[in-house]
Amino acid sequence: MKALNIIGCSLFMLLSGTSCTSLLDQNPQGIISSGDLNSPERAEQMVNAAYSFCGQNHFNKQFGMPYEEGSVRGGEAYKGGSGTNDNSERNLWETFTYMQPTTTGDLDNLWWVHYVGVGRVHDAMRRIQALTTDEYPLRDQRLAELRFLRGHIYMYMKLCFKFFPWIDENTPTDMYDKVSNDELTDQELWNKLIDDFRCGVSDLPEKQDEVGRPTRFAAKAYLAKALLFAAYEQDEKNNVVNINKDKLTEVASLCKDIIDHSGKQLVTDFADNFLCETENNSESIWAIQYSANNDESPIGRNNSWLVYPINNEYGCCGFLQPSVNMMNSYKTVNGVPDFENFNKGETLDNKEAFSKLPMDPRLMHTACVPDMPWKYNPEYIMEKSWARTPEVYGYSMSQKLLVLPTCDCFRKTNPFMGSGLNWDVLRLDEIMLWRAEALIQLNENLSEALSLINQIRNRAATSTDRLKFADGTPTGNFDVKPYIPGENCPALSQEFAMQALQWERHLEFATEGKWFFDLVRWGIADKYMNDYFAVEKTRRSYMKDAKFTKNRDEYFPIPQTQINYVKGLYKQNYGWE
């Protein structure tokens, strides 16, 4: 299932100073000298070590899908768990109001772990650069792969913190704490990421023999993402002050090339993007390769430790519970979203409402509630007891990141659990919507932009084969249609097209860790989040003081621990001073 092997635990320890198991308590049997690692064979192992770290999965130092940073902070889900004191800092992320630079232990962990990942990339790069192409024929390709991985790691830092110290393979290790986070401007930092992905476009092959290595088309996709975010230019207060047309033009071109020439196509059923048995499919452009087992560990490299429900088959930990607001977003009127009134009236968060209210079936792929089939198994019905703290967070549970307990890729690790289900970082559905967004913002070819959105909607409408009860009846009153201007939606305009695009991203990628970053990119985070809180605090009492502060909460504060470590060298983000 996973073709790219990961390197052994002993080399992890050598590189990062941490252990994979209790090996840290054992006396070392030998030491590999730095010079001995400068060989093609060892260089290849160091590259694999960099790949491996992109699947880092410790629950508070995770390196995977940023579902809390991008979905919980965007109102798509509640934090969940045993209550607001369980991983309490994440409660501050969700509600914003009482977050402070000094209350950032988890953020400090995340900052640190991403630089550990960057360190592995740079170590491998330096060793490869010491070799010639005659010695190591894959030299240029592997360097491009490593720059792609660095761009992937730093993308997280850019989206979450806006400013961070750009350390590369040429930065001496004794100068790491001398590089400030304000040496580069916002756009200069974006340009650094853009340059890394351009390298991949230049030097990566169109196809890779090993699943998990990025291709030229993956580099084009990540380049398009970096350009798209950079196109929404911000001032020092995080306000969007300009939309760069040249960057959007390149985004549209890159996405068209991927759509037309990559050989990728949408899978027929949306569910195939969230099942171990159908991963690395025709829609996946680049994915983090998790595994249920490998030669080094009986539990492999697992994903999504904390998201599973509380029941005998699973056991822990009930995080990432879909919000009522998000679930209501899937209501439809005449087959299209109910933009104005989706959050009024009966809530779409229970079995009775599913059978009565017209809805988009993607909700059933994203969330589950009591008395409904769990993860496409009509014989396995969710019970109320599965919700860990329903008095705080309600009964909804996430499904996209999870697998059935009977799946070969499921593993219990006591008390946690996870699976070998991949994380699709880049999928064709997103590339299609990026092209649509670029065309809309350029106000060019709106009909093509709407056609791309409708292709996504048409796939959603037919993704119902797995959404059935044991007697074969559908699990919801499904009603999804394409937008037909003048019939079920207004006449086609730039304003309407952008509204449709934003909703489609919300419906397609809910709980996948993207939405909050979209809101910030579009410059609408403050209005959206405060509108969300105004209603949700009437449903969830723990949100009574929740408030998004404009010109501050678009980004996390720089962890005070990091500022102290560099003796005040780092500049705190705007609004957090």
Side-chain angles (χ1 to χ4, degrees):
M1 182 169 62
K2 317 290 189 205
L4 181 58
N5 294 326
I6 61 172
I7 200 162
C9 191
S10 59
L11 190 52
F12 291 163
M13 295 169 63
L14 175 68
L15 293 175
S16 65
T18 62
S19 76
C20 298
T21 65
S22 60
L23 289 176
L24 190 62
D25 299 324
Q26 301 178 19
N27 292 325
Q29 300 301 305
I31 297 174
I32 303 174
S33 72
S34 179
D36 289 341
L37 290 173
N38 291 342
S39 68
E41 179 183 2
R42 293 300 188 186
E44 193 77 354
Q45 290 178 325
M46 304 299 270
V47 173
N48 287 351
Y51 274 104
S52 176
F53 206 78
C54 288
Q56 160 69 20
N57 60 353
H58 189 280
F59 73 90
N60 73 341
K61 298 182 179 67
Q62 65 185 10
F63 198 92
M65 181 187 295
Y67 60 81
E68 289 180 308
E69 300 91 319
S71 288
V72 172
R73 282 203 303 156
E76 290 186 327
Y78 313 125
K79 176 184 72 68
S82 67
T84 56
N85 289 327
D86 187 1
N87 279 349
S88 59
E89 185 181 321
R90 313 300 174 93
N91 179 67
L92 301 180
W93 297 4
E94 179 182 2
T95 55
F96 293 94
T97 304
Y98 300 113
M99 184 78 174
Q100 295 293 328
T102 53
T103 54
T104 54
D106 288 349
L107 279 184
D108 184 57
N109 283 335
L110 288 173
W111 180 289
W112 170 81
V113 81
H114 282 73
Y115 275 105
V116 173
V118 167
R120 288 195 182 187
V121 168
H122 292 159
D123 191 272
M125 289 181 74
R126 286 189 288 266
R127 297 181 191 285
I128 291 174
Q129 287 170 342
L131 300 170
T132 66
T133 53
D134 288 337
E135 295 172 309
Y136 190 34
L138 289 172
R139 179 183 187 275
D140 292 345
Q141 178 181 318
R142 291 293 187 257
L143 286 172
E145 290 177 27
L146 289 165
R147 290 189 66 177
F148 178 97
L149 293 181
R150 179 172 66 189
H152 166 68
I153 296 167
Y154 274 153
M155 176 67 77
Y156 173 94
M157 301 295 287
K158 191 75 182 75
L159 296 180
C160 286
F161 296 102
K162 189 174 184 176
F163 294 106
F164 59 93
W166 182 274
I167 293 171
D168 62 24
E169 74 278 17
N170 297 314
T171 308
T173 55
D174 61 355
M175 292 297 294
Y176 283 1
D177 60 351
K178 305 296 189 298
V179 180
S180 182
N181 66 331
D182 66 344
E183 290 190 2
L184 300 175
T185 67
D186 182 33
Q187 284 297 310
E188 285 172 342
L189 267 176
W190 277 122
N191 288 338
K192 288 285 191 180
L193 280 106
I194 288 167
D195 287 345
D196 274 352
F197 296 128
R198 288 199 192 284
C199 175
V201 173
S202 173
D203 292 348
L204 289 175
E206 290 194 356
K207 294 183 179 180
Q208 292 271 21
D209 292 334
E210 295 177 299
V211 174
R213 296 192 190 276
T215 64
R216 181 172 300 161
F217 288 111
K220 286 184 177 182
Y222 234 140
L223 174 59
K225 178 176 182 176
L227 285 164
L228 181 64
F229 274 86
Y232 292 83
E233 297 173 357
Q234 297 181 355
D235 64 13
E236 69 281 0
K237 297 182 180 180
N238 309 328
N239 299 304
V240 176
V241 293
N242 183 54
I243 300 178
N244 188 298
K245 305 298 185 183
D246 290 337
K247 286 185 171 65
L248 290 180
T249 298
E250 187 173 1
V251 170
S253 177
L254 286 163
C255 292
K256 180 172 175 54
D257 185 56
I258 296 166
I259 294 167
D260 291 347
H261 300 115
S262 68
K264 295 294 180 178
Q265 58 185 0
L266 296 179
V267 294
T268 302
D269 192 330
F270 189 53
D272 287 339
N273 290 314
F274 311 107
L275 294 167
C276 283
E277 57 266 34
T278 52
E279 62 189 8
N280 297 320
N281 57 41
S282 65
E283 191 167 335
S284 177
I285 292 176
W286 186 64
I288 300 298
Q289 303 292 308
Y290 289 95
S291 63
N293 56 271
N294 57 52
D295 294 338
E296 303 295 336
S297 168
I299 64 168
R301 194 67 153 169
N302 294 170
N303 192 8
S304 306
W305 285 14
L306 300 182
V307 184
Y308 285 88
I310 304 295
N311 66 359
N312 290 333
E313 292 84 2
Y314 295 123
C316 188
C317 289
F319 283 77
L320 191 68
Q321 293 190 237
S323 69
V324 176
N325 178 286
M326 185 275 282
M327 298 179 79
N328 282 347
S329 300
Y330 288 88
K331 292 179 182 178
T332 61
V333 175
N334 296 322
V336 298
D338 189 1
F339 295 143
E340 300 300 324
N341 300 303
F342 77 98
N343 213 20
K344 299 175 183 177
E346 189 170 357
T347 54
L348 193 58
D349 63 346
N350 59 82
K351 180 182 179 181
E352 292 70 28
F354 291 162
S355 65
K356 181 175 21 174
L357 301 177
M359 60 180 290
D360 188 316
R362 281 174 289 187
L363 175 57
M364 298 286 92
H365 297 275
T366 305
C368 193
V369 297
D371 302 319
M372 296 297 292
W374 178 259
K375 196 67 178 184
Y376 312 126
N377 184 348
E379 305 294 340
Y380 191 39
I381 304 300
M382 180 182 170
E383 300 176 10
K384 282 189 173 182
S385 60
W386 293 19
R388 189 175 183 183
T389 320
E391 68 275 14
V392 180
Y393 299 114
Y395 289 99
S396 63
M397 299 299 298
S398 293
Q399 291 203 106
K400 279 184 176 178
L401 310 184
L402 310 185
V403 302
L404 287 167
T406 54
C407 181
D408 289 342
C409 67
F410 177 70
R411 291 290 182 274
K412 276 195 172 185
T413 59
N414 192 23
F416 304 119
M417 61 222 58
S419 76
L421 180 64
N422 286 353
W423 167 34
D424 273 317
V425 180
L426 300 166
R427 290 201 312 261
L428 183 64
D429 54 353
E430 186 159 32
I431 276 66
M432 293 168 67
L433 292 180
W434 285 341
R435 175 164 170 81
E437 181 175 343
L439 292 175
I440 292 165
Q441 292 289 33
L442 291 167
N443 204 15
E444 295 177 359
N445 206 346
L446 296 182
S447 60
E448 182 193 344
L450 192 62
S451 174
L452 289 165
I453 294 170
N454 280 340
Q455 288 179 55
I456 302 296
R457 295 188 62 73
N458 288 335
R459 193 266 295 275
T462 60
S463 296
T464 58
D465 286 351
R466 291 182 173 97
L467 306 180
K468 295 177 181 178
F469 290 106
D471 64 2
T473 58
T475 56
N477 181 15
F478 303 132
D479 184 22
V480 173
K481 295 181 176 66
Y483 291 104
I484 306 174
E487 291 188 19
N488 61 3
C489 66
L492 185 56
S493 66
Q494 185 182 30
E495 180 181 5
F496 164 72
M498 192 62 189
Q499 185 179 38
L501 178 282
Q502 290 172 337
W503 271 75
E504 208 61 32
R505 283 196 58 82
H506 191 24
L507 300 174
E508 185 79 354
F509 305 112
T511 71
E512 294 187 51
K514 300 177 186 292
W515 184 238
F516 181 78
F517 306 127
D518 287 339
L519 297 174
V520 173
R521 176 172 89 248
W522 296 323
I524 62 173
D526 61 315
K527 183 181 188 312
Y528 182 93
M529 291 307 302
N530 285 322
D531 287 348
Y532 164 78
F533 287 138
V535 178
E536 285 296 312
K537 66 179 56 178
T538 68
R539 297 167 174 158
R540 302 287 179 253
S541 61
Y542 76 92
M543 287 191 179
K544 62 183 176 64
D545 295 326
K547 179 184 177 183
F548 184 98
T549 300
K550 183 177 173 59
N551 303 135
R552 184 194 75 171
D553 290 332
E554 291 84 3
Y555 298 95
F556 282 130
I558 307 300
Q560 189 62 45
T561 304
Q562 294 296 325
I563 295 176
N564 294 343
Y565 174 73
V566 295
K567 299 179 174 59
L569 177 65
Y570 295 163
K571 180 180 178 181
Q572 185 55 268
N573 279 336
Y574 188 88
W576 293 103
E577 302 92 336

